[in-house]
Amino acid sequence: MNRFWIKLIVNAIVVVPLLIWFSEATLWGSLLAAVVLCVAAYLIGDQWILRATNNLVATLADAGLTFLFLWLVAFGTGWDLSLMEILIISAVLGVVEWFYHSYLGRADEPARAE
């Protein structure tokens, strides 16, 4: 569960300020969006795709999920996010996810060696 909390904190550090900066999202609205996105990305990207493939595929899937999720949330909430702003948030989070997945791989190496 420690990995989930790391992902949640890192995602919130990226998503919350960018949502507030790019749109009229409130702190609580952006926090809720970041938490829901993190749960979905953890379950789909980290627990399913990363285990079945590799870092690149999981990172691209997480970035794509972020783009789709933020587009839907912006549409549903009326946040004024352009596609370029959603792309920027998705790209920044994708870079962060790359390093997060690399961390997961390094953390798993000692367990595999035994």
Side-chain angles (χ1 to χ4, degrees):
M1 195 55 142
N2 186 29
R3 295 171 181 199
F4 173 77
W5 291 109
I6 292 169
K7 182 178 186 89
L8 180 64
I9 291 167
V10 171
N11 280 359
I13 288 171
V14 172
V15 172
V16 171
L18 289 176
L19 280 177
I20 291 172
W21 184 26
F22 286 139
S23 73
E24 61 280 351
T26 64
L27 175 62
W28 294 114
S30 58
L31 275 170
L32 179 61
V35 168
V36 172
L37 174 62
C38 180
V39 169
Y42 184 76
L43 293 174
I44 296 168
D46 299 346
Q47 296 299 311
W48 183 44
I49 296 174
L50 183 59
R51 290 176 186 230
T53 60
N54 58 33
N55 189 359
L56 178 62
V57 174
T59 299
L60 292 174
D62 281 342
L65 175 67
T66 300
F67 185 88
L68 179 63
F69 176 80
L70 291 178
W71 180 72
L72 290 171
V73 169
F75 178 76
T77 60
W79 291 345
D80 188 26
L81 280 172
S82 70
L83 290 180
M84 183 55 76
E85 291 165 338
I86 295 171
L87 184 62
I88 290 169
I89 296 170
S90 301
V92 171
L93 195 57
V95 170
V96 169
E97 287 289 339
W98 174 269
F99 288 107
Y100 172 73
H101 294 155
S102 296
Y103 161 76
L104 291 180
R106 284 192 307 274
D108 287 343
E109 283 178 10
R112 282 188 234 145
E114 294 176 2

